[in-house]
Amino acid sequence: MAGRIRDEDIAEVREKARIDEVVADYVTLRPAGGGSLKGLCPFHDEKSPSFNVNPQRQFFHCFGCQEGGDVFNFLMKIDGLGFAEAVERLADRYGVTLRREEGGDARADRPRGPQRSRLVEANKVAQAFYADALGSPDALTARQFLRERGFDQAVAEQFGIGFAPRDGEALLRHLRQRRFSDEESVAAGLVAIGRSAYDRFRGRLLWPIRDSSGDTIGFGARRIFDDDRIEAKYLNTPETSLYKKSQVLYGIDLARREMARTSKAVVVEGYTDVMACHLSGVGTAVATCGTAFGDDHARVLRRFLNDHAEFPGEVIFTFDGDAAGQKAALRAFGGDQNFVSQTYVAIEPSGLDPCDLRLQKGDAAVRELIARRQPLYRFVLANVVKKYDLDRAEGRVGAVREAAALVHSSRDTAVVASSFAREIASLTGMDPADVQVEVKKAAGRQAGAGRGPAAPHEAPRPPVPQLPDLRDRRFVLERETLKLVVQEPGAVARTAPDLGANDFTHPTYRAVWELVEQSGGPGAATTDWAGRLREHAGDPAVASALSALAVEPVPSKRGADDAFVANTVYRLQELTAQRRIAEVKSRLQRTNPVEQTTEYNRMFGELTALEQHRRQLRDLALGAS
């Protein structure tokens, strides 16, 4: 049996797979200086970018959540892949032929169930099958549906739209012919199992739903026949290892680059609205797939917007003007704090959605709809206020109280409360001072509700020992030295062969150095030195530190030349000498020179030698600077 992938092939994939290209499929990256790139971390929610990618070192590291590693680690973490799957996926992308060792178990490092690559391929085959079926006689109703909405054959091909034949096993037979097992077809969400296997989508118009890299991961299917036994207007692929509806945005593959360029995103309500926007020149439009816009969707958008305080952008929601649209706007307002970007709403006065608007008034009308956006908070407050009879005192008071409660569901409450109060006063005709009082009362009510009942008395728990922060000032030289060991091992081996574990006082930094020594020291470094060290790091804290050391720029305008390396190492060793001097002085003070004359004289001689050594290191450091 063919076993594990050969090491030389893994090394070739690692060498050819550019980590910046792979990460850019998921995160908008911007230059961060020193050859590094920076963006919002895809592994935790953050307001300012702390996710760094170093293309030269082929490493990533987030200084917020401490995730880090090489290109394989990134794919394994973000897509839930096993190591072999990550290697296979990148080998396919970068044209590397993988060979396997004889013997062993190739499945040992794979998760159970079909491989992700097989599920992606099954969806790709299904998309082509559905697209071809759209041209069949049975798909006449589907083509008419598209034409009635202003979408011709060329547009259908552009968006990959297809038709699921009414025959309940057409796709199943096709997938079997293409050598997909029923297990793979079911896992991909394309086939369901009842008394027997059958096509999940039958007699429906289909939109392929793709991830940010362009892989088809699922489908949205619209009912077009009156005799369709399933009455739901839309069906979507069920939850699979590829398709997570709370994280999927239709059109993200088309919109992501324009989002990054403009720092804008437009969120619409349906597939045809996304199509209409893109065809009208609004290239940042996306839509959720069978679920409301939620926190996970916001996190996906923020990554591609690079949404943080230095580059605040815009997120524009389009909703229908009916009650359902107003409810959706209120829900979006509730998640407003997910964004640093300003949030807006765009609603056509006539109530038309972008698709119907384009059909009736043309492309320019869609662009004008987006341009006429208004702040989301203003729209929500206006809709709250108009529910009340403002000609009556109790109506005005009710409107103010409900609107005031909304102020404290928004972000930056302390900052916006005053301006919101003025907005509410303007809408209701109430005195701004009275509104401000009501806003403060609402804040107090929500703060009290948030505290909840007091917890019963518990015995105090012993404190858990915490390691010092790796970025503590005391360890700056240790960090800078290890950055050179990881990034420029050859220069360290030439200029500082006598580094040792005693030069590192932070437990994590000392563990990193010990790992370096176990690997043969800086002089034994080969290609992918940082990756090799991280691979052998048994402690997650050490592995995280290594990825950080690999991506963090060296603070030298002239680069890590021998003089810079020597200066850094000599300064670190001077600190080691100072610590040793302090230890000897302490022991000397505790030693009686009369009763312990020999020991006292020995330590005094040691102290004199250490002082001389420290001065030499100081001179060497100054000479190298």
Side-chain angles (χ1 to χ4, degrees):
M1 177 187 293
R4 65 189 299 275
I5 301 169
R6 293 187 180 181
D7 289 342
E8 57 264 37
D9 293 344
I10 294 173
E12 184 180 357
V13 174
R14 184 182 277 113
E15 182 180 345
K16 289 185 175 179
R18 290 185 51 183
I19 193 169
D20 52 328
E21 290 182 348
V22 175
V23 172
D25 286 339
Y26 303 85
V27 180
T28 293
L29 298 171
R30 300 186 191 277
S36 291
L37 303 167
K38 183 182 284 190
L40 290 171
C41 181
F43 304 125
H44 82 288
D45 198 18
E46 61 180 2
K47 298 297 185 184
S48 297
S50 57
F51 182 83
N52 283 252
V53 176
N54 189 309
Q56 182 183 359
R57 308 291 169 202
Q58 285 286 72
F59 255 72
F60 77 93
H61 184 81
C62 175
F63 291 97
C65 68
Q66 308 308 316
E67 287 289 346
D70 62 11
V71 68
F72 298 138
N73 299 124
F74 180 81
L75 276 185
M76 291 165 67
K77 176 71 177 177
I78 201 163
D79 282 333
L81 306 181
F83 178 74
E85 281 192 300
V87 174
E88 289 166 352
R89 185 168 168 188
L90 289 171
D92 183 60
R93 175 169 177 172
Y94 288 95
V96 178
T97 300
L98 297 178
R99 299 163 296 171
R100 294 185 179 272
E101 305 286 357
E102 289 300 320
D105 187 356
R107 298 166 295 178
D109 57 353
R110 288 199 183 114
R112 294 181 179 179
Q115 298 177 39
R116 183 185 192 281
S117 59
R118 290 290 290 171
L119 304 187
V120 171
E121 185 64 22
N123 274 281
K124 180 180 178 181
V125 168
Q127 189 275 322
F129 173 82
Y130 290 141
D132 186 61
L134 186 61
S136 68
D138 289 343
L140 177 62
T141 302
R143 295 194 298 274
Q144 287 176 339
F145 177 94
L146 293 172
R147 279 198 297 270
E148 289 169 0
R149 286 155 181 78
F151 306 130
D152 58 19
Q153 180 181 346
V155 171
E157 291 174 357
Q158 177 183 344
F159 289 89
I161 299 172
F163 171 72
R166 307 190 77 175
D167 174 354
E169 297 181 356
L171 177 64
L172 174 63
R173 290 193 298 270
H174 182 69
L175 290 171
R176 285 173 174 172
Q177 289 171 2
R178 296 293 297 271
R179 300 187 180 280
F180 289 96
S181 67
D182 287 1
E183 180 190 11
E184 290 171 330
S185 299
V186 170
L190 300 167
V191 168
I193 298 290
R195 293 180 180 176
S196 60
Y198 61 90
D199 293 353
R200 183 170 293 277
F201 304 117
R202 304 177 299 281
R204 292 205 167 215
L205 185 64
L206 286 143
W207 283 264
I209 299 168
R210 300 183 172 108
D211 64 16
S212 58
S213 65
D215 287 335
T216 299
I217 56 174
F219 294 88
R222 193 190 193 283
R223 187 176 194 264
I224 54 174
F225 293 110
D226 292 337
D227 61 351
D228 190 333
R229 287 182 295 175
I230 301 176
E231 295 186 1
K233 188 176 181 180
Y234 282 97
L235 295 176
N236 289 90
T237 294
E239 293 280 305
T240 69
S241 61
L242 299 181
Y243 183 88
K244 310 292 184 186
K245 67 180 181 180
S246 65
Q247 302 171 15
V248 170
L249 289 168
Y250 176 70
I252 192 66
D253 57 311
L254 303 173
R256 55 183 292 268
R257 287 183 174 81
E258 188 67 7
M259 283 182 187
R261 188 183 70 82
T262 63
S263 292
K264 291 183 180 179
V266 175
V267 182
V268 298
E269 293 197 299
Y271 306 127
T272 56
D273 293 334
V274 171
M275 294 170 67
C277 284
H278 281 267
L279 294 171
S280 299
V282 181
T284 60
V286 295
T288 59
C289 304
T291 187
F293 189 88
D295 293 349
D296 287 339
H297 296 118
R299 279 189 277 272
V300 172
L301 275 191
R302 292 193 65 237
R303 293 206 314 263
F304 291 110
L305 285 169
N306 203 23
D307 176 37
H308 59 89
E310 296 174 24
F311 297 99
E314 294 183 3
V315 178
I316 304 166
F317 295 92
T318 68
F319 301 113
D320 294 340
D322 57 13
Q326 293 175 20
K327 184 178 180 181
L330 188 60
R331 190 164 50 239
F333 182 72
D336 180 66
Q337 69 276 4
N338 289 321
F339 295 102
V340 174
S341 294
Q342 294 301 306
T343 50
Y344 296 85
V345 62
I347 293 182
E348 171 62 25
S350 62
L352 296 174
D353 59 32
C355 180
D356 290 336
L357 183 62
R358 175 177 178 266
L359 190 63
Q360 295 185 25
K361 299 183 181 181
D363 293 349
V366 177
R367 295 193 296 271
E368 180 63 23
L369 167 67
I370 304 304
R372 287 199 315 267
R373 68 205 182 284
Q374 60 175 302
L376 179 58
Y377 80 86
R378 186 173 297 163
F379 172 80
V380 170
L381 291 179
N383 275 282
V384 166
V385 168
K386 75 179 184 182
K387 294 190 301 183
Y388 293 86
D389 181 359
L390 301 181
D391 291 332
R392 299 170 61 88
E394 59 267 32
R396 293 192 295 274
V397 171
V400 168
R401 285 179 177 170
E402 184 174 348
L406 287 175
V407 172
H408 295 277
S409 68
S410 176
R411 61 177 129 162
D412 298 326
T413 300
V415 177
V416 302
S418 180
S419 60
F420 272 32
R422 290 193 297 271
E423 188 81 29
I424 296 169
S426 174
L427 290 168
T428 59
M430 292 277 284
D431 186 290
D434 293 337
V435 174
Q436 191 72 49
V437 169
E438 204 57 53
V439 167
K440 289 180 179 178
K441 286 181 180 178
R445 287 193 294 270
Q446 293 192 11
R451 282 193 293 268
H457 175 72
E458 293 182 3
R461 298 178 181 178
V464 179
Q466 295 290 328
L467 290 178
D469 190 330
L470 288 172
R471 293 180 168 277
D472 190 298
R473 299 173 57 183
R474 294 172 293 169
F475 311 112
V476 168
L477 281 173
E478 295 181 29
R479 186 179 189 86
E480 294 304 324
T481 301
L482 287 176
K483 279 161 60 175
L484 294 170
V485 169
V486 172
Q487 297 182 28
E488 302 290 345
V492 174
R494 286 193 303 272
T495 59
D498 55 347
L499 267 174
N502 287 336
D503 292 313
F504 302 96
T505 59
H506 193 290
T508 301
Y509 288 149
R510 178 173 289 208
V512 169
W513 175 255
E514 289 172 347
L515 188 60
V516 169
E517 287 186 321
Q518 292 165 16
S519 301
T526 58
T527 303
D528 191 35
W529 169 240
R532 204 174 94 211
L533 291 173
R534 195 176 190 279
E535 185 178 336
H536 290 93
D539 184 346
V542 174
S544 176
L546 276 164
S547 62
L549 295 167
V551 304
E552 193 172 292
V554 172
S556 171
K557 292 182 179 179
R558 66 176 187 260
D561 57 16
D562 286 359
F564 178 81
V565 172
N567 174 267
T568 303
V569 174
Y570 290 143
R571 287 161 59 209
L572 175 67
Q573 291 178 325
E574 184 186 359
L575 285 182
T576 305
Q578 287 176 344
R579 287 195 301 273
R580 180 63 182 155
I581 287 169
E583 291 171 6
V584 174
K585 281 184 175 179
S586 175
R587 286 168 49 205
L588 200 62
Q589 289 172 357
R590 300 192 306 271
T591 302
N592 189 317
V594 176
E595 298 176 358
Q596 300 169 285
T597 304
T598 303
E599 180 65 12
Y600 185 90
N601 289 338
R602 186 194 66 77
M603 285 191 290
F604 191 85
E606 182 182 358
L607 181 62
T608 302
L610 282 169
E611 287 284 7
Q612 183 178 358
H613 179 56
R614 184 193 65 78
R615 287 193 295 271
Q616 289 174 341
L617 289 169
R618 169 68 60 85
D619 292 341
L620 288 169
L622 290 172
S625 61

